[in-house]
């Protein structure tokens, strides 16, 4: 069976690369003979990192050639179909979907986060193109509501969970070795992992976060470690926080594979994150987390596990971050034993199962 995957891949974004890794891992558990081609911004990087075939994202002749031979186009995961971060990207991903439909290839939206969609033209195109897909799975209830608002009702639609939630936990040893490289003289104590990114309202959050982390380092003697998810942009964001802290902090400056990031997160005692997939990594690793929201997808995920963000970028306070971190460390809740989280992991696997069934022509759950 031949699958073409369309998404934000090859950009060295740790969350998106983790989604692709998780998708491939679970799809191959259902059928190890799958032949997968990824539409990538950096085909060589994608081929090397994920051991798949890949074609350039702007080479439509190559994309057409692959889709002609494909049994299924997977669009996802991630928040591809929205026009808040970029208007052009929405039209690009819709164009790939429409191309597959035109060529008679089955199309599945795979655990997507849908919306927000603004503008009459964008809404009409969404309704016209997405209603002609064969199957939609979304990663949260907010996406279901957006589909309903857009009057997208024709394909079968299921609310599942983010693909990364299906990824298997990894050994803590690789992460331990990486941390030992950056913290050679550390003699124990709690580790606070931090994952940040630039965004609108960042300046307020940067100051409040620096104040909270300084208190955690000084009053609680915690070790502060910044972990980049988007390489190298997140390193710059992390350094901009560390430089205004009045306490030591470590910024990891290398690019890591998905399993290495998972392992590093698994060595922390709490994770404070603006990045969605860092929060998901914490859940997969059984580590308590604190989310700071910059996008509805953060609230949607936290709500699905019975949590709320500490605040958004423009309103979060140092006191809220500090108190939440202390409480999470002193009264940890292991998500591995949480029924909500277990259910999400099961639902995340349903995405791959439904994709295989769609190719084979079977019914859906």
């Amino acid at each position: 069976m031949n699958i073409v995957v369309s998404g934000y891949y090859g950009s060295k974004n740790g969350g998106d690369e983790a989604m692709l890794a998780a998708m491939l891992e679970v799809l191959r558990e259902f059928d190890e003979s799958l032949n997968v081609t990824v539409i990538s911004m950096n085909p060589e990087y994608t081929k090397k990192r994920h051991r798949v075939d890949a074609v350039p994202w702007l080479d439509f002749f190559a994309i057409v050639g692959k889709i002609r031979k494909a049994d299924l186009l997977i669009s996802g995961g991630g928040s591809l179909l929205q026009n808040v971060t970029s208007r052009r990207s929405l039209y690009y991903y819709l164009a790939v979907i429409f191309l597959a439909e035109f060529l008679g290839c089955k199309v599945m939206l795979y655990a997507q986060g849908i919306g927000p969609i603004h503008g009459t033209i964008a809404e009409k195109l969404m309704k016209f193109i997405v209603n002609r897909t064969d199957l939609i799975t979304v990663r949260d209830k907010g996406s279901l509501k957006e589909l309903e608002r857009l009057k997208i009702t024709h394909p079968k639609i299921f609310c599942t969970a983010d693909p990364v939630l299906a990824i298997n936990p990894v050994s803590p040893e690789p992460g331990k070795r990486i941390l030992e490289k950056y913290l050679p003289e550390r003699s124990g104590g709690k580790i606070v992992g931090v994952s940040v990114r630039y965004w609108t309202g960042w300046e307020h959050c940067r100051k409040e976060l620096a104040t909270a982390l300084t208190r955690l380092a000084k009053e609680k003697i915690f070790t502060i470690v910044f972990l980049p998810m988007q390489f190298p942009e997140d390193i710059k964001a992390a350094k901009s926080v560390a430089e205004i802290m009045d306490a030591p902090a470590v910024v990891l400056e290398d690019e890591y594979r998905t399993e290495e990031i998972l392992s590093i997160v698994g060595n922390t005692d709490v994770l404070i994150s603006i990045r969605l997939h860092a929060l998901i990594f914490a859940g997969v690793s059984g580590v308590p987390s604190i989310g700071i929201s910059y996008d509805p997808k953060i609230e949607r995920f936290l709500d699905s596990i019975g949590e709320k963000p500490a605040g958004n970028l423009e309103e979060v306070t140092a006191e809220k971050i500090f108190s939440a971190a202390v409480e999470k460390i002193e009264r940890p809740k292991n998500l591995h034993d949480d029924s909500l989280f277990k259910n999400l992991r099961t639902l995340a696997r349903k995405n791959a199962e439904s994709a295989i069934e769609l190719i084979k022509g079977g019914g859906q759950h």
Side-chain angles (χ1 to χ4, degrees):
M1 293 189 289
N2 297 308
I3 293 178
V4 174
V5 180
S6 169
Y8 189 63
Y9 303 122
S11 65
K12 299 188 176 182
N13 180 297
D16 290 288
E17 299 305 324
M19 274 191 290
L20 181 56
M23 288 165 62
L24 294 171
E25 180 179 307
V26 184
L27 282 167
R28 285 167 174 160
E29 285 181 15
F30 285 105
D31 189 331
E32 60 184 20
S33 66
L34 283 177
N35 180 31
V36 180
T37 299
V38 177
I39 301 172
S40 171
M41 296 180 185
N42 187 335
E44 293 307 313
Y45 174 85
T46 299
K47 289 176 183 178
K48 182 178 179 181
R49 180 161 181 152
H50 298 284
R51 299 185 299 279
V52 292
D53 190 13
V55 294
W57 71 293
L58 291 178
D59 188 344
F60 270 82
F61 289 107
I63 294 170
V64 166
K66 291 297 182 180
I67 291 177
R68 280 189 187 277
K69 299 175 183 176
D71 299 290
L72 177 67
L73 171 78
I74 285 178
S75 179
S79 300
L80 305 181
L81 301 182
Q82 50 83 22
N83 58 1
V84 175
T85 59
S86 170
R87 292 182 181 179
R88 288 180 298 176
S89 67
L90 170 65
Y91 297 128
Y92 171 81
Y93 293 118
L94 284 175
V96 174
I97 293 169
F98 182 71
L99 179 62
E101 293 170 350
F102 179 77
L103 294 172
C105 180
K106 290 181 179 178
V107 178
M108 175 183 179
L109 302 195
Y110 191 108
Q112 285 227 26
I114 308 293
I117 303 287
H118 300 299
T120 303
I121 294 175
E123 290 179 358
K124 286 184 176 179
L125 280 173
M126 278 287 293
K127 182 180 178 182
F128 178 78
I129 295 173
V130 178
N131 262 323
R132 285 161 174 76
T133 60
D134 298 276
L135 175 66
I136 299 174
T137 61
V138 294
R139 67 186 181 187
D140 50 60
K141 293 178 181 177
S143 296
L144 280 180
K145 291 179 181 177
E146 186 71 355
L147 290 174
E148 183 180 348
R149 184 185 73 82
L150 294 168
K151 296 182 172 57
I152 295 170
T153 57
H154 178 263
K156 293 181 178 179
I157 302 172
F158 303 96
C159 186
T160 55
D162 192 287
V164 178
L165 286 156
I167 205 166
N168 293 314
V170 299
S171 165
E173 291 307 315
K176 190 178 295 184
R177 289 193 293 270
I178 291 168
L179 290 173
E180 286 173 351
K181 171 186 169 185
Y182 280 88
L183 301 163
E185 298 178 6
R186 182 172 170 271
S187 58
K190 305 294 185 180
I191 296 178
V192 176
V194 188
S195 177
V196 294
R197 65 165 301 161
Y198 287 121
W199 198 257
T200 305
W202 163 247
E203 193 56 35
H204 168 82
C205 178
R206 181 173 82 104
K207 294 174 182 176
E208 296 298 311
L209 184 58
T211 300
L213 295 176
T214 296
R215 285 189 65 190
L216 290 169
K218 283 187 168 182
E219 297 178 24
K220 297 294 182 178
I221 322 298
F222 294 161
T223 300
I224 311 299
V225 177
F226 288 89
L227 171 63
M229 291 290 287
Q230 172 92 43
F231 182 86
E233 288 85 347
D234 287 4
I235 296 173
K236 297 174 187 176
K239 287 183 175 179
S240 76
V241 179
E243 69 188 13
I244 61 172
M245 287 176 57
D246 188 25
V250 170
V251 178
L252 305 185
E253 297 189 41
D254 298 311
E255 181 184 1
Y256 300 108
R257 296 178 65 85
T258 298
E259 57 268 27
E260 291 175 321
I261 301 175
L262 261 174
S263 186
I264 294 167
V265 170
N267 279 273
T268 64
D269 295 281
V270 67
L271 183 79
I272 302 170
S273 180
I274 299 171
R275 289 279 190 188
L276 170 65
H277 285 99
L279 294 171
I280 293 176
F281 280 8
V284 171
S285 303
V287 172
S289 63
I290 299 162
I292 300 173
S293 180
Y294 77 97
D295 184 282
K297 64 186 179 183
I298 302 294
E299 285 104 319
R300 291 175 181 179
F301 169 68
L302 291 172
D303 181 64
S304 71
I305 59 171
E307 300 275 354
K308 293 187 180 300
N312 62 40
L313 290 182
E314 298 176 336
E315 298 175 356
V316 70
T317 65
E319 179 59 38
K320 189 70 179 287
I321 298 170
F322 174 82
S323 300
V326 172
E327 182 177 352
K328 294 276 187 180
I329 287 179
E330 292 181 351
R331 300 173 190 170
K333 173 185 174 185
N334 191 331
L335 286 177
H336 285 169
D337 300 325
D338 186 272
S339 60
L340 284 175
F341 194 79
K342 284 182 177 179
N343 183 53
L344 287 177
R345 284 181 62 80
T346 300
L347 288 172
R349 293 182 60 82
K350 286 288 186 184
N351 295 308
E353 185 179 354
S354 295
I356 299 299
E357 290 184 358
L358 181 57
I359 294 173
K360 293 179 177 179
Q364 300 304 317
H365 298 304

